[in-house]
Amino acid sequence: MKSKVAERMMAKMPEDVKIFVDKYADIVVRINQLLKEKNYSQKELAEKLEKSPSEISKWLAGDHNFTLRSIAKLEAELGETILYVPKRIAFQTYSEKTISFTVLKNDHINTNVDFTPVTASCKSENELSNVI
Amino acid sequence: MNTFVVKKWFDEGERCSFYTVLVGENKYSETDRFFMKFEETDNQYNREAHELLRLITYSIGNVYGAIDAFFDRTKNKAQALPPKPKKGIPEIFQMGINFPLRLYCFRISESIVILFNGGIKDQPTDQESKDLSLKFYEAQQLVNRISEAIHDGTMIVDNDSRTLTDFQGNSQIIL
C-alpha cells in the first residue's frame, strides 16, 4: 500500500536525489555502527577530534552535512574505511579493443605469504587460522 | 482534540511500515498534507521534500528499518514498547544541520512508524518556527492518544507482520 501523494512524488523523484539520500543514509549508519563497535563515547570522540561534544552529538544523530574532511578525520580516528571509491582500470586486448573493469578498492591484503597445504591431520582452529 | 483514524501510509518496503493519521473530516492524511505543501516542482522546498520521502520510503522503509541512527537520540530515551501514556515524544527525521523541513513522527518500533505533519523550520527551535509550533503541539497530542491506546489495548501492535490494528482486528483504527 502506498499513499497516492507519495506515489506521485516518487514518480517524479530526480535520480540525483535518490543517489544523494542513499549514500547519506549509508554513511550515517556506517559511522554509527563503527562507533558502537569500538565503544566510543561521544565525549571521547569529541576529545580525540578536538570538537565540542554537542557537535559530535549532531554527527551521531545524522544532523550534519558531511564533508570529505570530516569523513577523513573519522576514518583516521576509527582506523576503518567509511567510503569506498571504485577504481576503473583499462586493459588492452589482442584485438586492440580497450576493455575497462571497475574494481572495488578494498583494504590492502598481504598476499606474499607461503601457503601450507591443508591435510587431514590439520584439525585445530589454530592450525587452520595459520593456514588462512 | 478531534477524533482521528490511524491508517497505513506506505508499507512496500521490506523493513518498516509507515502509518499516518486522518484527523476529523479532512480529506487527506496529515502526512499527505505535509508532502502536498512541497509537491509542486517550483516550490522552494521541493527537493528537500523529495529527499525526506526517499529517506523514509527507501533507506528506512526498505534497507535499514527505523534504527537509532535516523532519529533524535535524546528523544529516543523516552520510548518503550508499549510506550507509557503522557511520555511519548514525537521525533523528527533529520537530514543535515541546515535541513529546513521537519516531519514529526512516532516510532513504535524499528518496523513500525506513525508519521504526522510538519513544516518549515526557520527559527532555532521548532516552537519558535511559525510553521511548526502548532504542528509540534498537535503531534504531541497525537502521540499521547496513541500511546494510551497501545497501553490500554485499544490498539494492537504486531511487529512480526508490521501492522497496527484495533482490538477487533480492523486495520483502520479510530481513536
Side-chain angles (χ1 to χ4, degrees), chain B residues 74-134:
Chain B
T74 56
K75 292 176 183 175
N76 277 350
K77 288 176 185 169
Q79 294 219 328
L81 194 66
K84 292 175 186 170
K86 309 292 182 191
K87 294 277 184 178
I89 297 174
E91 299 175 67
I92 304 159
F93 291 110
Q94 300 189 58
M95 285 280 299
I97 198 161
N98 295 317
F99 197 74
L101 304 183
R102 291 291 182 270
L103 174 61
Y104 297 114
C105 67
F106 183 34
R107 182 169 56 154
I108 304 284
S109 66
E110 285 192 3
S111 55
I112 302 174
V113 173
I114 303 177
L115 302 170
F116 303 126
N117 203 331
I120 301 159
K121 184 174 178 179
D122 53 8
Q123 296 296 324
T125 68
D126 294 11
Q127 289 89 336
E128 289 172 300
S129 300
K130 194 180 168 188
D131 196 37
L132 283 179
S133 56
L134 183 62

Side-chain angles (χ1 to χ4, degrees), chain B residues 35-170:
Chain B
F35 280 108
M36 284 165 72
K37 282 189 283 191
F38 312 107
E39 191 183 354
E40 296 303 319
T41 49
D42 57 354
N43 185 285
Q44 185 183 352
Y45 299 108
N46 179 262
R47 184 184 171 88
E48 285 82 0
H50 273 113
E51 289 178 358
L52 206 47
L53 183 62
R54 179 71 178 181
L55 184 76
I56 292 166
T57 55
Y58 185 75
S59 302
I60 296 174
N62 201 46
V63 181
Y64 294 108
I67 58 175
D68 286 349
F70 297 115
F71 294 84
D72 186 329
R73 284 163 177 251
T74 56
K75 292 176 183 175
N76 277 350
K77 288 176 185 169
Q79 294 219 328
L81 194 66
K84 292 175 186 170
K86 309 292 182 191
K87 294 277 184 178
I89 297 174
E91 299 175 67
I92 304 159
F93 291 110
Q94 300 189 58
M95 285 280 299
I97 198 161
N98 295 317
F99 197 74
L101 304 183
R102 291 291 182 270
L103 174 61
Y104 297 114
C105 67
F106 183 34
R107 182 169 56 154
I108 304 284
S109 66
E110 285 192 3
S111 55
I112 302 174
V113 173
I114 303 177
L115 302 170
F116 303 126
N117 203 331
I120 301 159
K121 184 174 178 179
D122 53 8
Q123 296 296 324
T125 68
D126 294 11
Q127 289 89 336
E128 289 172 300
S129 300
K130 194 180 168 188
D131 196 37
L132 283 179
S133 56
L134 183 62
K135 301 289 186 305
F136 182 81
Y137 173 74
E138 287 170 351
Q140 282 184 313
Q141 287 197 314
L142 290 164
V143 167
N144 286 342
R145 285 276 290 277
I146 293 166
S147 299
E148 284 171 355
I150 293 172
H151 194 72
D152 66 21
T154 312
M155 182 188 281
I156 313 293
V157 177
D158 185 341
N159 281 310
D160 292 335
S161 63
R162 293 192 273 135
T163 55
L164 299 173
T165 53
D166 69 9
F167 64 99
Q168 292 177 313
N170 296 311

Side-chain angles (χ1 to χ4, degrees), chain A residues 15-84:
Chain A
E15 203 57 33
D16 67 303
V17 165
K18 295 179 190 173
I19 293 167
F20 168 74
V21 174
D22 297 354
K23 286 200 189 311
Y24 182 92
D26 287 345
I27 291 169
V28 166
V29 170
R30 171 84 171 144
I31 291 170
N32 276 274
Q33 284 172 342
L34 287 175
L35 293 171
K36 213 173 195 176
E37 277 172 28
K38 292 175 184 290
N39 285 324
Y40 263 83
S41 69
Q42 292 187 22
K43 195 182 168 198
E44 283 169 342
L45 190 66
E47 284 169 2
K48 297 263 187 190
L49 296 177
E50 296 176 346
K51 301 273 181 191
S52 70
S54 64
E55 192 171 348
I56 296 301
S57 173
K58 284 173 184 167
W59 282 28
L60 302 189
D63 190 12
H64 178 73
N65 280 327
F66 293 113
T67 63
L68 194 52
R69 280 193 180 85
S70 60
I71 289 174
K73 281 187 178 184
L74 274 171
E75 286 196 0
E77 186 52 46
L78 298 173
E80 298 269 2
T81 305
I82 293 168
L83 281 181
Y84 286 99

